[in-house]
Amino acid sequence: MFGLLRLLARFGAVFLFLFLEGICMYLIVRFNENQKAIFASSASYFTGSALNQYQKVTRYARLQKQVESLQKEVSRLENESWKMYYLDQAKTDTARMRLDTLGLVPVYSVVEAQVINNSVSGAKNMLTINRGKKHGVSPPMGVITSNGIVGIVRHSTEHFSSVMSVLNTQTRISASVKGKGYFGSLVWKGTDPRHAWLLDVPKHNPVHPGDTIETSGFSTLFPKGVLVGVVRKRWVPSGESNYLIQVELSADLTHVNQVYVVKNLFRKEFDQLEQLSANE
Amino acid sequence: MNNPIIRQGLRLLFFLLVQVLLLKQIPLGPIGPFYADAFVYPLFLLLLPQRTSLELLLLLGFGIGLFVDMFYDSWGVHASASVFLAFIRPGMLRRLEPKGGYNLNYGLTIQRFSLNWFLRYAAFMMLFYLGFYYSMQVFSPVFFLEIIAKTALSFVTSMLFILILMLIFNPLD
């Protein structure tokens, strides 16, 4: 105690100097636009390059897993690619249908992307991916992995986009029970990164634990039939007419790396159509 | 007028008024691509007697700087520079100690020392002050040349005004 006092008496002025300069620095960065901008950009320059270096190192460690998931993804896409086409000519003669002669127009195209920043611990989690306007990514677009949905693109810059994760309390995604067709909104209530909740499914529809949940395709964000997860628990809260369904997400968002941004090539048209009906 | 605290208070008020009402309003330049500023209010910190404690100097520098910042709309920039000025004052005085040593009660003025000594003292202090001030104003080492240029230009104008004030009033303490 005595030593501390002696230290203060000896260097009190130095501490006071540092303290006052600290206040000044705070004022400068807080209230002066130029200095604030320089401070912010230098800070993000340092953190940004640090994040990038970190990614470079960890990417190697995950290379093997990534290759495997890519191979799986390629074969899945090959198998299911017909789902992503829209028959442009209304031909009914399916017997002679051939892809090249029928004029098939794709509805969705996907842009592959790497996750370069991710959080799962907060209530409003976001991801950053390394694709932006330059690659045709612009909000809103759905983001998926080979085994589930990831989130929705919120902002895009030239080379990067921020994605509102499924694990964000503001995200609502239309999802349905596979093979049965009744649908609801998928939301997340914070805290548990493995589980989300499906709301608004009326209780007269039978839903059982183990049922698969997929996207409903009722928006331009996700195609129909992208895997979301599996029903774990479901019950009807007293006094309500809808199920509360706990869904175990199939995509592990704590380890997501390779993702695909889903572009709906007809989005403009859909938007125009909805605009027309809204104006009526 | 014999109470030193009242005398110093009036002097401070006068310097601050000259600074924010007169010198802030006169645009000096552009000289080349730069505008020069003139600062005389640090003179108050320079003139305080040797025995003034460092803590008091720091607090005065902080308060005066913030007051000037209010008028220049540059929160913290002047304050940080004048706190720095107060901090280096004792060290600078040790370096410039004249042969006979100091009398702790004397103000650091031309009358108590000499024109030569005072000019050296004021010049070194103002160089540090202006260098720190423009570093904080520009806030990035990228604009190193701009900091140097502004410091040099403002050094000339500030020293000119300081010299004029000192010669007109020529205070004893």
Side-chain angles (χ1 to χ4, degrees), chain B residues 19 23 37-46 81 84-85 88 92 118-134 150-152 154-163:
Chain B
Q19 184 66 50
L23 294 181
D37 295 304
F39 297 115
V40 295
Y41 76 93
L43 186 53
F44 173 77
L45 291 174
L46 300 190
F84 178 72
L85 183 78
I88 62 168
M92 184 64 72
F118 179 80
L119 274 183
R120 246 182 356 148
Y121 167 58
F124 278 124
M125 291 294 272
M126 285 310 286
L127 267 184
F128 278 106
Y129 171 82
L130 291 167
F132 196 91
Y133 170 76
Y134 286 112
K150 283 185 161 177
T151 303
S154 301
F155 175 72
V156 175
T157 51
S158 298
M159 283 306 285
L160 196 68
F161 280 103
I162 286 176
L163 197 59

Side-chain angles (χ1 to χ4, degrees), chain A residues 89-102:
Chain A
Q89 295 173 354
K91 279 217 175 178
T92 48
D93 188 358
T94 51
R96 282 186 293 151
M97 207 191 260
R98 274 181 55 206
L99 280 179
D100 49 347
T101 57
L102 281 176

Side-chain angles (χ1 to χ4, degrees), chain A residues 8-238:
Chain A
L8 263 180
R10 178 117 187 255
F11 295 108
V14 179
F15 288 134
L16 183 63
F17 168 67
L18 293 176
F19 174 67
L20 291 177
E21 287 291 0
I23 296 177
C24 291
M25 290 303 151
Y26 173 75
L27 289 174
I28 290 173
V29 175
R30 176 81 177 69
F31 292 108
N32 297 279
E33 289 308 319
N34 279 336
Q35 284 91 331
K36 189 198 279 180
I38 290 174
F39 178 77
S41 72
S42 338
S44 66
Y45 174 78
F46 285 118
T47 56
S49 65
L51 273 176
N52 227 340
Q53 293 301 323
Y54 177 73
Q55 275 298 320
K56 269 186 202 163
V57 175
T58 52
R59 200 172 291 156
Y60 269 112
R62 283 188 237 138
L63 214 54
Q64 183 59 36
K65 259 190 184 167
Q66 239 180 65
V67 169
E68 279 167 19
S69 86
L70 275 176
Q71 283 167 343
K72 242 195 250 170
E73 183 67 13
V74 167
S75 60
R76 193 187 70 83
L77 283 174
E78 273 175 357
N79 287 333
E80 298 196 4
S81 58
W82 61 271
K83 260 192 191 169
M84 300 230 172
Y85 286 89
Y86 163 78
L87 196 51
D88 200 24
Q89 295 173 354
K91 279 217 175 178
T92 48
D93 188 358
T94 51
R96 282 186 293 151
M97 207 191 260
R98 274 181 55 206
L99 280 179
D100 49 347
T101 57
L102 281 176
L104 289 171
V105 175
V107 176
Y108 292 102
S109 74
V110 291
V111 180
E112 56 79 31
Q114 298 272 330
V115 174
I116 59 168
N117 192 13
N118 186 8
S119 72
V120 293
S121 52
K124 293 182 177 164
N125 295 307
M126 303 289 286
L127 301 95
T128 310
I129 58 174
N130 63 351
R131 293 285 180 264
K133 283 178 191 154
K134 197 182 166 198
H135 316 94
V137 176
S138 65
M141 284 182 182
V143 179
I144 60 177
T145 64
S146 51
N147 51 6
I149 57 171
V150 173
I152 299 166
V153 175
R154 283 304 297 269
H155 304 286
S156 288
T157 56
E158 199 58 27
H159 295 94
F160 300 97
S161 299
S162 64
V163 177
M164 192 163 80
S165 166
V166 174
L167 307 182
N168 185 316
T169 50
Q170 290 180 328
T171 309
R172 290 180 83 87
I173 292 169
S174 176
S176 62
V177 182
K178 187 173 186 178
K180 293 179 180 162
Y182 16 91
F183 61 95
S185 305
L186 189 81
V187 301
W188 187 64
K189 296 190 174 175
T191 66
D192 182 0
R194 297 294 292 139
H195 294 96
W197 298 85
L198 187 64
L199 310 178
D200 305 340
V201 177
K203 67 179 173 188
H204 61 265
N205 299 314
V207 176
H208 303 290
D211 283 357
T212 305
I213 304 293
E214 57 179 28
T215 54
S216 67
F218 289 168
S219 70
T220 55
L221 298 177
F222 296 102
K224 183 174 164 53
V226 177
L227 189 60
V228 172
V230 176
V231 175
R232 275 283 149 249
K233 284 185 268 178
R234 56 100 180 84
W235 68 91
V236 181
S238 61

Side-chain angles (χ1 to χ4, degrees), chain B:
Chain B
M1 282 300 277
N2 283 331
N3 186 333
I5 293 181
I6 292 177
R7 199 174 58 225
Q8 294 285 358
L10 286 174
R11 180 185 293 169
L12 174 58
L13 190 65
F14 172 71
F15 283 154
L16 287 175
L17 288 180
V18 168
Q19 184 66 50
V20 300
L21 296 183
L22 203 65
L23 294 181
K24 178 176 185 287
Q25 314 301 334
I26 308 171
L28 299 165
I31 304 163
F34 301 111
Y35 280 82
D37 295 304
F39 297 115
V40 295
Y41 76 93
L43 186 53
F44 173 77
L45 291 174
L46 300 190
L47 293 179
L48 284 175
Q50 167 103 28
R51 63 164 178 193
T52 316
S53 78
L54 181 52
E55 286 86 350
L56 181 61
L57 277 173
L58 289 169
L59 289 172
L60 277 172
F62 185 67
I64 296 167
L66 272 188
F67 182 84
V68 177
D69 273 330
M70 274 196 314
F71 287 88
Y72 276 74
D73 199 20
S74 59
W75 285 102
V77 182
H78 283 97
S80 67
S82 48
V83 167
F84 178 72
L85 183 78
F87 186 68
I88 62 168
R89 197 183 98 138
M92 184 64 72
L93 286 176
R94 263 198 303 280
R95 294 218 148 204
L96 297 175
E97 184 163 353
K99 274 203 186 99
Y102 291 106
N103 182 329
L104 291 187
N105 290 327
Y106 285 180
L108 303 165
T109 57
I110 295 177
Q111 275 208 58
R112 292 292 192 190
F113 293 84
S114 66
L115 182 64
N116 190 7
W117 183 90
F118 179 80
L119 274 183
R120 246 182 356 148
Y121 167 58
F124 278 124
M125 291 294 272
M126 285 310 286
L127 267 184
F128 278 106
Y129 171 82
L130 291 167
F132 196 91
Y133 170 76
Y134 286 112
S135 304
M136 285 300 115
Q137 196 201 45
V138 175
F139 212 61
S140 169
V142 177
F143 305 112
F144 180 69
L145 286 176
E146 190 179 333
I147 295 175
I148 300 273
K150 283 185 161 177
T151 303
L153 289 176
S154 301
F155 175 72
V156 175
T157 51
S158 298
M159 283 306 285
L160 196 68
F161 280 103
I162 286 176
L163 197 59
I164 291 171
L165 281 179
M166 286 306 282
L167 291 179
I168 292 174
F169 293 100
N170 203 5
L172 183 63
D173 282 311

